[in-house]
Amino acid sequence: MDSASRKTYLPLDPMSFTKSKPVIDFIADYYKNIEEYPIQNRVEPGYLSVKLPESASYCPDSLEDILKDNNNCIVPGLTHWQSPNFFGYFHANASTAGFLGEMLCLGFNVVGFNWISSPAATELESLVLDWMCQMLKLPPSFLFSGTGGGALHGSISESAVCTLVAARDKALKELGGWENITKLVVYASDQTHFTFQKDDIKSGLVPLFLCATIGTTACGAVDPIAEFGQVAIEYKLWLHIDAAYAGSAWICPEFRHYLDGVELANSHPYEST
């Protein structure tokens, strides 16, 4: 590493940002040519350890070298999720607005533990979630401006854990204590988000959580929400409506009827991409 490299891209040096355009160009070129890449490259496990050093560099590499390594080492081992030819799991969901938003978030780099840690982050989260609920025409019980509210998570899996914990604690409080935790059981179809385990009704188990899905990842299937809601009411179940894959589609008036019965739900996560 030469002396020039030692002075390149100092931590949080504002002047460095003006030299970062090659990164934008690299990403733009990637998207221009994304359809030319095979969806899943046929690299062997461990391929990257052969291409990269055994230990981290003592000094920063130049941006030119970093982008060259990305092109020669990283891109060949990518599964190109954003390609229009990719049909596994989730559809292509990147956007220019998304990129710019991520840049702003990383630039501010705040930690939104609570309101005082960054008031703007907390209040913006609440407002944006209410905007989304209004676009979906959800009942007031889902809005901060009503009697509910929500939270942004890093993934649907995180939101599933959060709602399961809430449902568990509610049920254990009603049952009288933690000694009943092994009796609780979750019900879901075989198309539900992979986070959920599938359990059959067994003697002595206590129904806890019913997971309905509108727009399954595998085939876009939709559960009858209103019917599920009546079952949840009868057995005092927490009704969770998973819309990770297709939830944003319900903004369109022609698809909104699939959400009929959502007012019976306790939680309703979706990805707004």
Side-chain angles (χ1 to χ4, degrees), residues 1-50:
M1 183 67 65
D2 57 29
S3 59
S5 297
R6 295 173 186 269
K7 299 178 181 178
T8 302
Y9 293 99
L10 298 174
L12 292 179
D13 175 15
M15 295 305 296
S16 297
F17 291 122
T18 63
K19 304 175 183 178
S20 301
K21 188 175 182 298
V23 177
I24 303 297
D25 293 339
F26 181 88
I27 295 171
D29 288 340
Y30 171 74
Y31 276 95
K32 286 179 183 177
N33 302 306
I34 195 168
E35 291 187 70
E36 298 178 9
Y37 296 112
I39 296 301
Q40 187 171 21
N41 288 284
R42 292 178 174 82
V43 295
E44 296 295 329
Y47 90 97
L48 195 57
S49 60
V50 178

Side-chain angles (χ1 to χ4, degrees), residues 135-267:
M135 293 171 70
L136 290 163
K137 292 182 171 56
L138 296 182
S141 57
F142 284 88
L143 278 68
F144 282 100
S145 56
T147 58
L152 296 176
H153 291 275
S155 69
I156 287 293
S157 297
E158 291 179 23
S159 70
V161 172
C162 181
T163 51
L164 278 169
V165 168
R168 178 202 65 188
D169 289 354
K170 179 177 182 292
L172 290 176
K173 183 178 180 180
E174 294 174 353
L175 290 171
W178 281 82
E179 64 273 11
N180 296 300
I181 192 168
T182 57
K183 299 178 181 179
L184 303 178
V185 61
V186 172
Y187 300 100
S189 73
D190 61 359
Q191 293 294 310
T192 298
H193 190 272
F194 71 91
T195 303
F196 295 100
Q197 298 292 327
K198 281 71 177 177
D199 293 307
D200 295 327
I201 296 176
K202 298 178 181 179
S203 177
L205 294 179
V206 178
L208 162 70
F209 190 94
L210 177 60
C211 180
T213 306
I214 45 176
T216 60
T217 305
C219 61
V222 177
D223 286 327
I225 302 303
E227 287 86 342
F228 275 48
Q230 294 305 317
V231 172
I233 291 173
E234 180 179 355
Y235 292 96
K236 298 182 179 179
L237 296 167
W238 181 291
L239 178 59
H240 178 83
I241 302 176
D242 179 11
Y245 176 68
S248 297
W250 316 138
I251 294 174
C252 301
E254 62 268 31
F255 298 132
R256 177 55 179 77
H257 65 278
Y258 289 117
L259 269 178
D260 290 350
V262 68
E263 67 278 1
L264 303 175
N266 299 92
S267 52

Side-chain angles (χ1 to χ4, degrees), residues 50-69:
V50 178
K51 293 178 174 290
L52 297 181
E54 294 183 358
S55 59
S57 301
Y58 183 77
C59 295
D61 289 338
S62 68
L63 182 56
E64 181 182 2
D65 288 343
I66 291 172
L67 293 178
K68 186 180 298 182
D69 283 344

